[in-house]
């Protein structure tokens, strides 16, 4: 009998123990995973105290546990300098993504350049699955950051006195002439970043043959970088650049030119270049940006093609000689360079001579726009059938032409 009672008591104790275990399991099943409020584990984008932040950044913050939106509250962006509010975002809006993970993303409107900001988050605006609310951020030094500057500028430089002529004799890289210059500046306001330029585009105009000219860019971070001309877009592009202007400094760059083809040129044709720093530079998105207040600069009225005559040539040979009478075909003498281009600035006097026994009359003519057109040249022979050779003389050279 006593043994039966002991067995009964043991069975009862076992049942009670099992019941308590079941209750404990049930309790664990229904209790939430987190019974404490969430806290921030990492400010991912931007980092706290970050500099050079993009003006189009979003906010990403990581918590120690999964969070969701609370029923109300705001996330507020303020300027560090004067505590003015830049943007207030309701946590319930679509700009806030808090969908039950440890990461919360906040989409912002574009921020200003070169400005220090901080972030406030209202208490209980975010919470865990047990409705334990995040305590919030109310100290301006908890999460602050500074956006990159936009104080990059492009301005005219005084290295080259534009406009400058490009002589037709400049046909090699060694004879290239500097025709344009500009200065790039990083204002150095607050971000400590460089102004990094990867492409420079010039707009082209004027009457000159851009396709016959080789252009090269030179400066501290560019050595004879060749430009690519587009007749369709009317642009001259220097790409693949690694120009880096240190924070708060300036660098000057020049464009030089020489003829890759100097045939069929026309005196005083123009090569006009213009560039606007706001629209014609490609800069790195992670460094100083262009200010937006630049004005286009040009090489004034443009580089002019300067034909430099090295000789004179008979471009129309004389013919139709009758002794004592004006030649029926009067000679035309032209001042030319080695490629046969006419030097339109040539206005000197051309004198014709001959070595025969006869005599010439009306044998001098002043050139107009590089051309001396004779109108009444006559040869008086000393015998029938006498031939003569005309020689055109000037300081730059001479040419001969034979007439029978």
């Amino acid at each position: 009998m006593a043994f039966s009672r002991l067995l009964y008591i043991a069975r009862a104790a076992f049942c009670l123990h099992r019941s308590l275990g079941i209750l404990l399991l049930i309790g664990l099943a229904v209790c939430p995973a987190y019974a404490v409020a969430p806290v921030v584990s990492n400010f991912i984008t931007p980092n706290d105290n970050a500099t050079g932040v993009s003006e189009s950044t979003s906010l990403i913050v990581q918590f120690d546990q999964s969070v969701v939106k609370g029923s109300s509250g705001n996330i507020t962006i303020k300027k560090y300098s004067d505590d003015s509010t830049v943007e207030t975002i309701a946590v319930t809006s679509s700009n806030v993504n808090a969908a039950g993970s440890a990461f919360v993303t906040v989409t912002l409107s574009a921020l200003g350049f070169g400005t220090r900001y901080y972030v406030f988050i209202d208490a209980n605006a975010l919470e865990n699955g047990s409705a334990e609310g995040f305590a919030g951020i109310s100290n301006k030094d908890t999460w602050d950051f500074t956006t990159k500057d936009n104080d990059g500028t492009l301005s005219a430089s005084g290295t080259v006195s534009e406009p400058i002529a490009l002589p037709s004799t400049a046909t090699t890289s060694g004879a290239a002439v500097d025709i344009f210059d500009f200065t790039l500046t990083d204002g150095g306001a607050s971000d400590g970043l460089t102004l990094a330029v990867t492409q420079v585009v010039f707009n082209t105009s004027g009457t000159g043959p851009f396709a016959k000219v080789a252009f090269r860019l030179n400066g501290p971070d560019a050595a004879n970088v060749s430009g690519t001309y587009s007749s369709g877009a009317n642009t001259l592009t220097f790409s693949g650049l690694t120009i880096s202007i240190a924070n708060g400094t300036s660098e000057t760059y020049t464009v030089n030119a020489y003829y890759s083809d100097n045939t069929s040129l026309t005196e005083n044709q123009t090569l006009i270049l213009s560039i606007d720093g706001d629209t014609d530079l490609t800069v790195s998105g992670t460094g100083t940006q262009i200010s937006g207040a630049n004005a286009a600069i040009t090489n004034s009225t443009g580089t002019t093609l300067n034909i430099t005559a090295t000789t004179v040539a008979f471009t129309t040979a004389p013919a139709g000689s009758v002794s004592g009478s004006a030649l029926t075909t009067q000679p035309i003498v032209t001042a030319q360079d080695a490629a046969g281009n006419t030097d339109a600035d040539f206005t000197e006097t051309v004198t014709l001579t001959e070595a025969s026994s006869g005599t010439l009359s009306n044998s001098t003519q002043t050139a107009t726009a590089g051309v001396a057109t004779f109108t009444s040249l006559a040869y008086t022979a000393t015998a029938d059938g006498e031939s003569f050779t005309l020689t055109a003389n000037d300081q730059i050279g001479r040419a001969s032409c034979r007439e029978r």
Side-chain angles (χ1 to χ4, degrees):
M1 185 71 171
F3 175 77
S4 298
R5 287 181 178 177
L6 289 173
L7 182 60
Y8 174 78
I9 292 171
R11 286 176 175 175
F14 172 75
C15 290
L16 177 61
H17 181 267
R18 186 175 66 177
S19 298
L20 289 174
I22 293 171
L23 290 173
L24 178 61
L25 290 173
I26 293 172
L28 290 173
V30 299
C31 285
Y34 296 97
V36 294
V39 295
V40 171
S41 61
N42 190 18
F43 296 114
I44 295 177
T45 303
N47 300 136
D48 183 33
N49 292 319
T51 59
V53 175
S54 171
E55 76 285 359
S56 58
T57 188
S58 294
L59 304 179
I60 303 177
V61 57
Q62 181 181 10
F63 289 88
D64 66 337
Q65 55 186 280
S66 297
V67 294
V68 295
K69 298 179 182 183
S71 59
S72 64
N74 297 317
I75 298 173
T76 306
I77 314 300
K78 291 176 172 285
K79 283 186 179 180
Y80 198 96
S81 59
D82 59 8
D83 300 317
S84 61
T85 297
V86 174
E87 186 174 6
T88 300
I89 303 168
V91 72
T92 56
S93 75
S94 60
N95 284 17
V96 179
N97 185 354
S101 77
F103 298 90
V104 175
T105 301
V106 183
T107 301
L108 306 178
S109 299
L111 301 174
F113 288 99
T115 305
R116 188 178 181 185
Y117 297 96
Y118 63 91
V119 182
F120 276 175
I121 301 178
D122 289 347
N124 301 316
L126 299 166
E127 58 187 34
N128 62 20
S130 300
E132 294 285 346
F134 170 53
I137 299 176
S138 57
N139 186 314
K140 67 190 297 183
D141 292 314
T142 300
W143 191 8
D144 66 279
F145 58 90
T146 303
T147 54
K148 60 194 173 188
D149 293 336
N150 69 328
D151 53 8
T153 60
L154 184 150
S155 58
S157 176
T159 305
V160 178
S161 298
E162 297 106 339
I164 192 165
L166 182 62
S168 61
T169 52
T171 57
T172 65
S173 59
V177 176
D178 289 338
I179 63 170
F180 193 94
D181 63 349
F182 60 93
T183 297
L184 294 170
T185 300
D186 183 308
S190 62
D191 62 4
L193 300 176
T194 60
L195 171 63
V197 180
T198 59
Q199 182 171 277
V200 175
V201 178
F202 289 90
N203 301 290
T204 61
S205 60
T207 58
F210 279 90
K212 293 187 174 186
V213 180
F215 298 90
R216 300 182 302 172
L217 181 69
N218 282 281
D221 299 322
N224 291 324
V225 177
S226 295
T228 300
Y229 171 65
S230 169
S231 59
N234 291 319
T235 56
L236 174 64
T237 301
F238 297 91
S239 57
L241 303 175
T242 56
I243 294 174
S244 181
I245 314 300
N247 189 54
T249 65
S250 299
E251 292 180 0
T252 295
Y253 289 81
T254 60
V255 176
N256 66 34
Y258 65 94
Y259 295 98
S260 55
D261 177 3
N262 71 336
T263 61
S264 302
L265 302 180
T266 300
E267 183 88 73
N268 296 324
Q269 286 182 311
T270 55
L271 304 169
I272 301 175
L273 300 176
S274 68
I275 185 170
D276 187 327
D278 294 331
T279 57
D280 300 326
L281 297 180
T282 300
V283 301
S284 169
T286 59
T288 296
Q289 301 299 290
I290 298 299
S291 69
N294 288 276
I297 62 172
T298 72
N299 59 341
S300 187
T301 54
T303 291
T304 54
L305 276 60
N306 182 19
I307 309 301
T308 305
T310 55
T311 189
V312 290
F314 283 95
T315 49
T316 297
S321 173
V322 175
S323 180
S325 300
L327 276 64
T328 56
T329 300
Q330 291 287 312
I332 297 177
V333 178
T334 304
Q336 297 178 335
D337 65 6
N341 300 302
T342 300
D343 183 354
D345 295 330
F346 181 87
T347 57
E348 298 178 16
T349 299
V350 176
T351 300
L352 299 180
T353 60
E354 54 82 27
S356 303
S357 57
T359 58
L360 288 175
S361 57
N362 302 315
S363 59
T364 61
Q365 183 66 45
T366 300
T368 301
V371 179
T373 302
F374 290 81
T375 58
S376 55
L377 177 69
Y379 178 74
T380 301
T382 58
D384 290 340
E386 187 175 80
S387 63
F388 60 96
T389 300
L390 291 179
T391 300
N393 290 281
D394 186 79
Q395 293 178 352
I396 61 171
R398 57 191 296 169
S400 296
C401 186
R402 184 174 178 84
E403 168 61 13
R404 292 184 178 276

